Structure formats: C-alpha cells, structure tokens
Amino acid sequence: MGTRAWALLLVLCGTIFLEGIDVAMLAVAIPSIRSDLDLPTDTAAWVMSAYVLGYAGFTLLGGRAADLLGRRRMFLTWLTVFLAFSGLGGFATEGWTLIVARFVTGVSAAFMTPAALSLITTSYEEGEQRNKALLVFAGTAAGGFSLGLVIGGLLTQLGWRWVFFAPVLLAGALLVAATRLIPHQPHQPRPAESENAESENAESENAEPGNAEPGNAEPEKGPGRPRRRTEGFDILGAATAAAAMLLAAYAVIRLEHGLDGWRLTAGAALAATTLLVVFVAVERRTPTPLVRLGILRTGSVVRADLGALLFVGAFFGFQFVLTLYLQELRGWSSLQTAIALVVLGCDAILAPTLTPRLVTRFGHAKVILGGFVLAVVAYGLFLPVGMDWSYAAMFPTLIIAGTAFALAYGPLTIAATDGVAESEQGLASGLLHTFTQFGSAIGISAVTAVYGLASSGASAGSDPDATLSAFRAALIVPVAMVTLGALLSSFGIGSRTKPPTAGASAVPAVPAAPTTAAATVIAATPADAIPGASANPARQGSS
C-alpha cells in the first residue's frame, strides 16, 4: 500500500482504538468518579450501562445508515458527536450528566464503527490489500481495549476527568486527519430494495446460478443508476428497530438482578418482542425497507452472528467473574488486575499474523471451530479455581482464552458477511455488531445472575469458601456458551468457499472487537461500582 493508503488506514484504526481505549479507561475510573461525585451505586452502574444501551440500541440503524446516507458523512458526523459528548462527560458534576454523555457516546459509536468498516471495504483493493487492512483494523481494536485498562489506571491517578479529556484530544486529531484523507464519494443512489426482492424471486424461480446478471437483477436500470420506486427513508422501520433494540438491551441488562424486579424485566422483554414483530411487518410492507429481510437468508449470516454472540458473551462473562475473583477474594487493586488481564490482549498480535495463515491453510470454518474448542479448554481449566491460586496458575487460561479470541472472532466476521452485496456491507456489519453487543451484555448479565443466586445464602458474605463456590458456579455459564458455540460451528459456520454472485463483496468487513459498556467490567472496577455487583457478594442476588 502507498503512503496515503497507510495514512487512511491509520486514521480508521485510530478511531476504533479510540473507542476501545475510551471504554476501558472509563471502567477503571468509575470508583474515583463515584467517590468524587458521591454517586449512589445504581447511578454509578448506569454510567456504564448507558453506553451499552446506546450502542446496542442503534448499531443496526447505524450500519444501514452508512450504506444509505454516505459512509464519509456518517463517519465524520458521529466522530464529531463522540468528541463533543466525551468532553461533556469530563465537565460533569452530576450523575445524570454522565449518564446522558455515555448514552450519546454509545449511539455515536453505533454509527461511527460500521461507517469505518465500510470505508475500509470500499477504499482498499479487493484481495490481499483489503485483507491486510481489515486484520490490522481488528488487531488495533483489541489492542486499544487492552492498553486502555492500563492507561486508564494511570490517568485516574492524575484525575478521573482526564479519562474523558484524553479521548477528546485523540478524537480531535483523528477528525482533522479524516477530513483530509477520506475522499469525497460520488453520489451513489440507494439500491431499490423492492427490485432486490424481485431479483431474488426471479433467481429462485429460475434456479440457475448463472442468471444473476445485471440485466436480470435490475431490469429497469437507467444509464449509471437504477430506477427507484421511492426515495423515502424508512422512518417507521428505523423508529421501531431502535425502540426494540433499546428495550431488548435494557431487558438483558436487568437479567443481572436475577429474580429481583422480574416483572420489569419481563415487561421490557415483552415490549421488545412486540416491537420486533412490528418491525418485521413494517419491513415486509415498505418498498424501501431499512433492513432487507432476505439478507438473513444469505450464506451463513445468521449462524455466524449467533456464534459471535455466544463466543463474545462467554469471553466477557468469564472476564467479569475473573475480575470479581481477583478483587473480592484476592484484594488486588484495579491497576494490578488491569495489568494482569493485559495478556488477554495477545489477540491484537495473533489476529493479523497467525490467523490469516491458518485460514489460508485450513479454511475459516475449521479455524472457528478450533477457536471455540480452545475457549472450552481455557474456561474449563479455571473451573477448579482455588482460594490462593498464583498468577502462574491462572496464566494458561488467560493466554489460551486470548488465543481462542484471535482464532474465532475474525473468521466469524468473514462468515457473517460472506456473500453479502457491497451495497449492504454496512447492514451486515451492523447485524454482527448488534449480536456481539448483545452477546457481551447477555454473558455478563447471566454470570452475574448465577453468581447472585449462588451467593444469596446468609453465609456467602462472611464465608470466603461460599463466595468461591459462587464464583465457580458462575464460571459454568461461559463454559456452556462456548460449548454450544462449538456445536453450532461444527455445522459449517463459514464453510462457504464459492465466489459470491455478481454484485457481492468477496471480502467482508471485519468489525471491531466488541467494547460495549457491558464489556467494561473486565477493567477491574470494585464490585460495588459494577452493574449487578455489590460490595457484599451476598447481596448481589437482590441488588
């Protein structure tokens, strides 16, 4: 790649590095923020949970907006919003200001990240060059989160407000560079969704792969642009999708409370399900749907998305349990724990170096399965964790878990976008981001609920053995999730090897490693500042 191509890649990677480091640093700073602003536990919890609501709630819409409204425009606009509201958080003097700032920051990430991914897939030549760019992008995401744990601890020593101001400085530099480096894209009309549907029907009726020619797929195309039935944006679909995702994310976050307040949790889940049904009905009837439902029948999209949900959920659920173990039982500080977990960031090195070679030799289906199997081994090794395990005893689990992430996550993204048309790459990336965001939230909420139920006995708060038993019970959740994922991957996730049909992108977008507010718990904040975790483990089931 030339100098300008590398400069553009540096800017796009800097954006995902910014997102990762922002999330990790905040998690480390939460205890200081809570103490300085005298925030109650539930408010401190919502400072982190607000981010996952914004991110998970709008990722699907953000991915499609990049396709429909322009990747450059979405990238620059939402990077600016990210900058502004990160700065607002640094000046906050009340808890509600921090919650609003983190929610909007999550929304901006939901639009900014898919736009960055789409810019990579459309700015680099298909083949080795684009693959290299994507793998560097994915590795940078993981590295940003890992380094953020340590940098956040150092900045917090100077003052927690620097955790918000530092991303402002980095975002400002990236915005200036991006304005100069990202080329203006010529107007490309949105693909007529109704015509896509007609093309799919025609192809299914003919049952001849060779018939997918431009003339057959878009019979009414004019010179240089397809004829569209409507120019309208699917406002109703966007509104119902965002509302459904927000309620679903809220219901998932509330799972960490176990049976406490179950009516509210069930009500949110029911409302989310109802809105999802409405959304599907809207998308079936509108001539220009926000989400063409036929994409869910493309290749291995659904299976890969589900695999990513299970893998990411297990990964962050395990880290949550590990964090509580190191703090509650071992008394490690936030900085000590963050440094100990940096080894999990080995995927930042392995993803762009080892994984491509394995995929080239064995195919991504086998590499995905290998990643799941390694994850089962890693989490299984930690099940008999003892009261006084040394770091050397924990190290095999940490290094194997990081390696498993490097092997599974990248190839899962290949499967999730395989065979998807270039005009819908943003949508495919948005779908995958949605599943991974919910995966991290589900994994953490599930282990928190199990931990709370297992430690609800009267002796759990005063008996270290009872607390350790609760940790072991919670560890079963990530083991079960990756085991289910291994079974799912064995049915051929990503086994597609034939070239995509005309108009499809041969190289998928690799989304960033998930860095939602739910995932921030791995940064080793004290338990009473973590959603669903109180200072006394015995009370977690009723917090």
Side-chain angles (χ1 to χ4, degrees), residues 55 59-64 66-67 71 110 113-119 121 134 137 295 301 305 409 413 416-418 420-422 424-437 507-512:
Y55 205 147
T59 301
L60 182 61
L61 178 59
R64 194 56 176 144
D67 291 331
R71 299 177 180 100
T113 303
L117 297 172
S118 299
L119 282 168
T121 59
L134 292 171
F137 186 82
I295 194 175
V301 168
D305 287 347
Y409 188 73
T413 64
T417 53
D418 190 22
V420 177
E422 183 174 346
E424 294 183 323
Q425 280 294 314
L427 172 59
S429 296
L431 284 169
L432 182 58
H433 271 85
T434 300
F435 274 81
T436 55
Q437 299 305 315
V507 181
V510 178

Side-chain angles (χ1 to χ4, degrees), residues 200-413:
E200 289 179 357
N201 293 336
E203 289 179 12
S204 63
E205 290 173 0
N206 294 333
E208 296 180 7
N211 283 348
E213 299 178 358
N216 293 334
E218 296 176 350
E220 297 179 316
K221 180 183 291 187
R225 57 185 291 146
R227 184 175 69 83
R228 289 159 290 164
R229 293 186 179 182
T230 180
E231 296 285 346
F233 188 78
D234 184 13
I235 300 297
L236 182 58
T240 53
M245 293 298 100
L246 282 170
L247 285 169
Y250 178 70
V252 168
I253 291 172
R254 282 205 52 84
L255 288 176
E256 65 195 22
H257 297 293
L259 298 178
D260 182 48
W262 68 268
R263 290 183 177 84
L264 180 58
T265 304
L270 179 61
T273 303
T274 302
L275 282 172
L276 184 60
V277 172
V278 173
F279 171 72
V280 172
V282 169
E283 299 307 276
R284 287 183 177 277
R285 296 177 63 87
T286 184
T288 54
L290 178 73
V291 177
R292 183 178 61 83
L293 300 179
I295 194 175
L296 300 179
R297 300 191 299 269
T298 302
S300 55
V301 168
V302 174
R303 286 181 299 168
D305 287 347
L306 288 173
L309 182 150
L310 292 168
F311 189 87
V312 170
F315 188 76
F316 287 118
F318 168 75
Q319 290 178 325
F320 177 71
V321 177
L322 176 60
T323 295
L324 290 183
Y325 164 75
L326 293 176
Q327 291 181 63
E328 292 293 323
L329 287 181
R330 307 302 298 275
W332 290 23
S333 68
S334 296
L335 186 58
Q336 285 177 314
T337 307
I339 294 175
L341 297 182
V342 165
V343 67
L344 286 167
C346 67
D347 62 315
I349 299 174
L350 297 178
T353 55
L354 175 63
T355 305
R357 297 179 182 180
L358 294 177
V359 169
T360 300
R361 182 170 181 178
F362 301 106
H364 53 269
K366 292 181 180 179
V367 177
I368 290 171
L369 180 58
F372 271 106
V373 171
L374 281 182
V376 173
V377 173
Y379 306 147
L381 286 174
F382 213 79
L383 283 174
V385 60
M387 190 72 68
D388 55 355
W389 269 25
S390 65
Y391 184 70
M394 305 177 211
F395 187 81
T397 288
L398 299 179
I399 192 69
I400 294 174
T403 303
F405 197 96
L407 295 185
Y409 188 73
L412 276 169
T413 64

